[in-house]
């Protein structure tokens, strides 16, 4: 029987502890580099951190606990890039589950403060400033806001999936926005699936009900909307078939003024790529992220954060429906003209 050899190796060396995560604010990033990654400069990130500090501060003395600044920057990175959670985790040095928990806590804390940043113009001074600001754009008087809807792509939900398919053929949330003359959101409604019409979203929204119930005279001001909305005393739409010169002039000023909401949506989606690439979450969580991005947009505008170009983001292709018509050049051309350029 072979002898058993005993090795006396002594105590095993203790594995060195590795702390994951990094605080980009402590790195030598310039404001431009921070904006490329998080859409906010150093002072703005510190402002958001101070705003949410009481809600995000961890009640623990563990040295591995995430700081408020780290939680803010993880969330901003997600909104700015639109990447998968595990990609955000790999970039910021945390696992996917940690990123998910941080996003939930950050979003809930930010939405709780929405009334500080998304405000309907109610006071006389604010109403007059809004009216004057819009009038300077194209000479359209008495305007207190411009309304429109935009679709934010989401993944196909398990429940009530068909109602989230919009007229363009992809799953989305129909987001209603109303803006002031400075491209600040004064109202955002992100509660409806993509199949809902803009007019229905407005009619059932809090601001739509408020205007319907509280409107008494023209001096209160009007909101401008496109032809998808019904023309109401408090919601003016363009003439569908203008005949007289005054109607053409009305439409020209109306369009020039109303494009403010289109520009607001453009800035918003350019700043937060998540809104362009799509939200791979269930609808209720996606709606919270959309609202959080609207609040962050207003904060960025108020802090005068520059807009970072996203030249690498391709334009969204429309859904190509099957074509069963005549298979020749003219047939295909008519199909394109009817479906994409009407």
């Amino acid at each position: 029987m072979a002898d058993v050899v005993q090795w006396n190796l002594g105590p095993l060396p203790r594995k060195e502890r590795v702390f994951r995560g990094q605080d980009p604010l402590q790195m030598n990033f310039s404001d431009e580099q921070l904006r490329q990654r998080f859409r906010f400069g150093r002072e703005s990130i510190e402002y958001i951190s101070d705003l949410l500090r009481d809600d995000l501060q961890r009640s623990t003395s563990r040295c591995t606990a995430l700081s408020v600044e780290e939680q803010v920057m993880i969330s901003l990175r997600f909104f700015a890039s639109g990447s998968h959670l595990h990609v955000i985790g790999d970039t910021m040095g945390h696992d996917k589950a940690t990123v998910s928990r941080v996003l939930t806590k950050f979003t809930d804390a930010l939405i709780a403060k929405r009334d500080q940043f998304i405000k309907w113009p109610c006071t006389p001074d604010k109403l007059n400033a809004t009216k004057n600001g819009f009038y300077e754009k194209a000479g359209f008087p008495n305007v207190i806001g411009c309304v429109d809807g935009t679709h934010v792509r989401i993944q196909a939900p398990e429940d009530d999936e068909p109602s989230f398919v919009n007229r363009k053929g992809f799953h989305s949330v129909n987001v209603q926005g109303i803006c002031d003359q400075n491209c600040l959101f004064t109202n955002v409604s992100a509660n409806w699936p993509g199949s809902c019409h803009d007019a229905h979203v407005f009619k059932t929204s809090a601001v739509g009900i408020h205007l319907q119930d509280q409107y008494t005279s023209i001096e209160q001001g009007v909101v401008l909307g496109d032809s998808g909305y019904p023309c109401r005393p408090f919601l003016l739409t363009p003439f569908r078939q203008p005949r007289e010169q005054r109607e053409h002039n009305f439409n020209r000023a109306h369009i020039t003024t109303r494009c403010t909401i289109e520009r607001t949506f453009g800035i918003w989606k350019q700043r937060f790529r998540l809104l362009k690439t799509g939200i791979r979450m269930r609808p209720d969580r996606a709606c919270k992220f959309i609202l959080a991005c609207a609040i962050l947009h207003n904060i960025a505008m108020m802090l005068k954060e520059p807009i970072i170009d996203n030249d690498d983001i391709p334009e969204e292709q429309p859904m190509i429906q099957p074509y069963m018509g005549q298979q020749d050049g003219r047939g295909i051309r008519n199909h394109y003209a009817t479906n994409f350029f009407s």
Side-chain angles (χ1 to χ4, degrees), residues 125-166:
D125 289 344
K126 182 62 176 176
L127 283 170
N128 288 332
T130 303
K131 292 176 181 179
N132 291 335
F134 276 122
Y135 183 75
E136 292 174 0
K137 292 181 179 296
F140 203 115
N142 209 33
V143 177
I144 60 173
C146 297
V147 63
D148 202 0
T150 187
H151 289 270
V152 175
R153 186 188 295 268
I154 63 171
Q155 71 179 13
E158 295 180 358
D159 299 327
D160 199 19
E161 180 268 339
S163 67
F164 286 89
V165 180
N166 61 30

Side-chain angles (χ1 to χ4, degrees), residues 299-330:
I299 292 175
M301 297 295 287
M302 288 187 287
L303 297 178
K304 301 187 184 303
E305 283 289 340
I307 304 168
I308 304 300
D309 290 332
N310 285 333
D311 295 333
D312 59 326
I313 302 177
E315 289 298 319
E316 191 175 81
Q317 282 278 344
M319 180 69 69
I320 306 298
Q321 299 294 342
Y323 173 64
M324 306 300 293
Q326 187 174 351
Q327 296 293 328
D328 62 8
R330 292 185 178 182

